Amino acid sequence: MARRRIGFWYRVVVVVVKPVLLLFTKRDWRGMEHIPAEGGFVTAVNHISYVDPLTYAHFQYDSGREPHFLAKASLFKIPVVGRIITGAGQIPVFRDSADAALAFRAAVAAVDKGDCVAVYPEGTITRDKALWPMQAKTGAARIALTTGAPVIPVAQWGAHELLPPYAKRPKLFPRKTMKVIAGPPVDLDEFRGRELTSEVLRGATDKIMDAVTELLALLREEPVPPREQRRKGKAAKPKTAEADAPATDAPATEATKADDPRADKADKVEKAEKAEKADKAEKVEKVDKVDEPKTDEPKTDTTKADATKAADTEGGAA
């Protein structure tokens, strides 16, 4: 495929990064025939490691079309790095701010200009323990439906072996194989030409992520987990009646706490608070016993029972 001319800063990134990737990784590229040779388009990519933007960009560059990422605005403030990625035409995303819409407008402008805009629909590295894609945000679908551009699903596998999720030290040896596969454009005809309601955007997004997940299953040589099992921040689990039950205010189960380290920490804090309250109640009981006048009547456990009940009630509220 003939390569389009790229800018100076993009060429700097290629000259610096590509030799390093060639030295430390092996490649298994598939589906490059699905990358459009001309015109703007969107790629929707799963996210499994801090390093996978580089390994995916390597694949995309080798296809003849360089990607322009939607990237966190904080990266653009880093000295040198910020200058390079700005010059390379990457698009800053201002999360939870008045400038959040700027990323969408910049992405639409880039697609209309004929560029490839690469989107991580999950918005972050997957928190699924099995590294399947989580429920996605609707940005990729919104860009595609606004511009009329095709969405190319892309799945990648292997970058997590080079740099595990949320780790900081890479495992360079033995050399890891970076597997990347692109699929045919996602058929979004049923959503085009309609008002971009939350229902339309969610339907299009689910269809995009289903395509990405199917490609990932192909790379992993594993069955595709059902959509309802790909829950935000949870590991994929077999479907049960409990999984379909509506949410309640009941305390988390031990299985839920095991999936979430924050729940385990909260559980420890709760136990410590209960123990502290019980200890205070015991001290109050001892003081009461000392002050009680001696009588021939049998002593009751009313004070102890009341103190214990109060401790249990306060612990549950905590």
Side-chain angles (χ1 to χ4, degrees):
M1 182 183 295
R3 180 176 303 285
R4 304 192 315 167
R5 294 186 62 182
I6 61 176
F8 170 77
W9 286 109
Y10 215 117
R11 193 173 299 279
V12 168
V13 174
V14 172
V15 169
V16 172
V17 176
K18 187 173 180 179
V20 176
L21 293 175
L22 289 173
L23 177 63
F24 291 110
T25 67
K26 296 181 284 185
R27 289 148 301 286
D28 179 1
W29 298 160
R30 310 182 203 176
M32 284 188 178
E33 67 274 13
H34 297 302
I35 303 297
E38 298 179 353
F41 63 100
V42 178
T43 55
V45 193
N46 67 308
H47 200 1
I48 55 176
S49 168
Y50 285 134
V51 78
D52 69 37
L54 298 178
T55 55
Y56 157 67
H58 188 186
F59 164 85
Q60 186 72 39
Y61 180 81
D62 282 356
S63 76
R65 299 295 303 272
E66 72 279 3
H68 296 270
F69 287 91
L70 290 174
K72 292 187 298 185
S74 58
L75 295 176
F76 292 76
K77 299 178 181 179
I78 301 175
V80 182
V81 173
R83 179 69 187 91
I84 292 174
I85 61 178
T86 299
Q90 309 310 299
I91 302 169
V93 176
F94 301 89
R95 296 177 177 174
D96 302 322
S97 74
D99 296 327
L102 294 177
F104 170 72
R105 291 199 289 268
V108 168
V111 171
D112 286 340
K113 188 174 69 174
D115 290 336
C116 163
V117 172
V119 180
Y120 284 114
E122 298 164 271
T124 186
I125 294 174
T126 180
R127 289 186 290 271
D128 184 283
K129 287 186 177 180
L131 299 184
W132 291 104
M134 302 183 295
Q135 182 176 350
K137 302 179 186 300
T138 60
R142 186 183 293 273
I143 296 168
L145 295 177
T146 299
T147 61
V151 177
I152 307 300
V154 178
Q156 55 182 331
W157 192 243
H160 64 294
E161 297 177 348
L162 179 62
L163 183 67
Y166 301 105
K168 296 182 179 180
R169 293 185 179 181
K171 300 178 180 179
L172 300 179
F173 299 104
R175 293 171 71 202
K176 313 300 189 297
T177 299
M178 304 296 106
K179 298 180 180 181
V180 184
I181 182 172
V186 181
D187 182 5
L188 298 178
D189 287 348
E190 63 182 291
F191 305 105
R192 297 191 187 279
R194 298 168 58 182
E195 182 183 355
L196 299 185
T197 62
S198 58
E199 181 181 359
V200 167
L201 291 172
R202 175 49 53 196
T205 298
D206 286 344
K207 198 164 185 179
I208 291 170
M209 292 310 294
D210 284 348
V212 173
T213 305
E214 288 172 5
L215 291 173
L216 181 58
L218 184 62
L219 289 181
R220 295 172 57 161
E221 299 181 348
E222 298 178 30
V224 178
R227 183 188 297 167
E228 59 268 23
Q229 291 182 13
R230 292 178 249 136
R231 295 172 296 173
K232 186 176 181 180
K234 300 292 184 182
K237 298 177 182 179
K239 185 176 179 180
T240 64
E242 292 181 359
D244 292 331
T248 68
D249 294 330
T253 63
E254 292 302 319
T256 303
K257 292 175 182 177
D259 288 339
D260 190 348
R262 292 174 298 179
D264 183 59
K265 182 178 179 180
D267 186 48
K268 291 179 179 179
V269 172
E270 182 181 356
K271 289 181 178 178
E273 290 177 348
K274 285 186 177 181
E276 183 180 356
K277 289 182 174 65
D279 184 56
K280 288 181 180 179
E282 186 177 355
K283 290 179 180 179
V284 170
E285 177 191 357
K286 290 179 178 179
V287 172
D288 289 344
K289 286 182 178 180
V290 170
D291 294 338
E292 284 179 358
K294 295 183 179 181
T295 66
D296 294 333
E297 297 180 1
K299 183 168 59 176
T300 66
D301 292 331
T302 303
T303 303
K304 182 177 180 180
D306 290 343
T308 304
K309 181 178 181 181
D312 290 341
T313 301
E314 292 177 9

